Amino acid sequence: MSEHNDTHIAELRREYMRGGLRRKDLTEEPMALFELWLKQACNAGLSDPTAMCVATVDEHGQPYQRIVLLKHFDSRSLVFYTNLGSRKAKQLAQNNRISLHFPWYPLERQVSFLGKAERLSPLEVVKYFHSRPRDSQIAAWASEQSSRISARSMLEGKFLEMKQKFQNGEVPLPSFWGGFRVEFDSVEFWQGGANRLHDRFLYLREGDEWRIDRLAP
């Protein structure tokens, strides 16, 4: 890489001017504010407003990140689905500590969750699986997620094979497909501010209550 390119990147910056976040704007528990921010992200027309970065750690302490879609949330947890043979699922089986991050950049907002992931019951999984578009159900059978493949044609061929196999009737739930419920104990809300004086508030669970602290940017 050239020194010129490094200099150009270093000079990229902008001001955050969309507004601040004050204690009076906060809710007693974090998911009421999260629900409001998510609704505003949807109404703003953001692409994939439910997309979140999922961070896990392998047996050597190496972190991994990837984007998945949030499919459900309530006052104590968030839910996503995945192939149970995937890298993330295998890592969560060894260490179920997890981080979820929502990067709503156009709104100059971020939300981060820390918690523990637990496998969903088969009943919860099958209900969601059959709500997916049929081709998405078939694609779950076609992809051995995170495994090495020699060419895309192999994946496409497997998809057509599964489509033929399940052309009549309901697509069954693969035994290797499931989901995780993340029960969180920490939620941070970040709102961009002028002059890099961003607003950050951290919710920490203390029993059945939430402690709220402002963090320096």
Side-chain angles (χ1 to χ4, degrees):
M1 299 294 291
S2 71
E3 184 177 341
H4 172 75
N5 286 335
D6 290 344
T7 302
H8 177 66
I9 292 173
E11 291 175 350
L12 289 175
R13 60 177 58 85
R14 67 181 178 88
E15 282 292 342
Y16 297 88
M17 304 297 292
R18 294 185 65 92
L21 181 63
R22 302 293 183 262
R23 190 171 286 270
K24 66 180 176 61
D25 302 318
L26 305 180
T27 54
E28 289 186 9
E29 55 88 21
M31 293 313 283
L33 182 56
F34 174 79
E35 185 173 11
L36 173 63
W37 277 23
L38 177 57
K39 188 176 296 183
Q40 291 173 343
C42 293
N43 292 341
L46 269 61
S47 297
D48 296 321
T50 60
M52 58 185 181
C53 180
V54 174
T56 56
V57 178
D58 71 9
E59 68 273 21
H60 305 296
Q62 174 63 55
Y64 287 80
Q65 297 173 299
R66 73 288 286 167
I67 299 295
V68 305
L69 297 180
L70 173 70
K71 289 302 177 183
H72 174 75
F73 68 91
D74 55 35
S75 62
R76 300 185 67 89
S77 65
L78 303 97
V79 170
F80 68 92
Y81 295 87
T82 187
N83 186 305
L84 298 177
S86 65
R87 180 185 286 156
K88 68 177 103 44
K90 290 178 179 178
Q91 290 171 354
L92 288 171
Q94 296 177 343
N95 179 356
N96 70 345
R97 298 299 304 189
I98 190 171
S99 173
L100 307 176
H101 179 76
F102 292 84
W104 293 321
Y105 302 126
L107 299 180
E108 300 175 357
R109 288 174 173 173
Q110 304 175 61
V111 185
S112 299
F113 293 83
L114 299 179
K116 295 180 179 180
E118 301 294 341
R119 285 266 301 272
L120 293 174
S121 70
L123 185 62
E124 292 174 289
V125 173
V126 74
K127 182 179 179 180
Y128 171 72
F129 183 78
H130 287 131
S131 75
R132 305 176 85 205
R134 185 176 179 85
D135 280 357
S136 294
Q137 296 177 40
I138 294 171
W141 280 94
S143 174
E144 188 177 341
Q145 196 174 108
S146 300
S147 64
R148 290 182 170 86
I149 57 176
S150 60
R152 180 178 175 83
S153 58
M154 291 184 61
L155 190 62
E156 293 171 340
K158 186 68 173 179
F159 177 80
L160 293 176
E161 177 188 334
M162 292 296 103
K163 197 164 187 175
Q164 177 69 24
K165 180 177 181 180
F166 300 127
Q167 64 179 326
N168 298 316
E170 189 175 76
V171 179
L173 173 70
S175 61
F176 52 80
W177 201 87
F180 288 90
R181 181 182 308 280
V182 177
E183 294 198 353
F184 52 85
D185 46 33
S186 169
V187 189
E188 181 181 333
F189 292 86
W190 184 100
Q191 176 75 63
N195 302 312
R196 296 300 185 269
L197 299 179
H198 311 306
D199 291 305
R200 297 172 60 193
F201 283 95
L202 178 67
Y203 286 75
L204 284 176
R205 189 190 302 278
E206 294 185 342
D208 292 329
E209 304 294 328
W210 289 94
R211 171 181 169 178
I212 305 175
D213 292 305
R214 175 182 276 275
L215 303 181

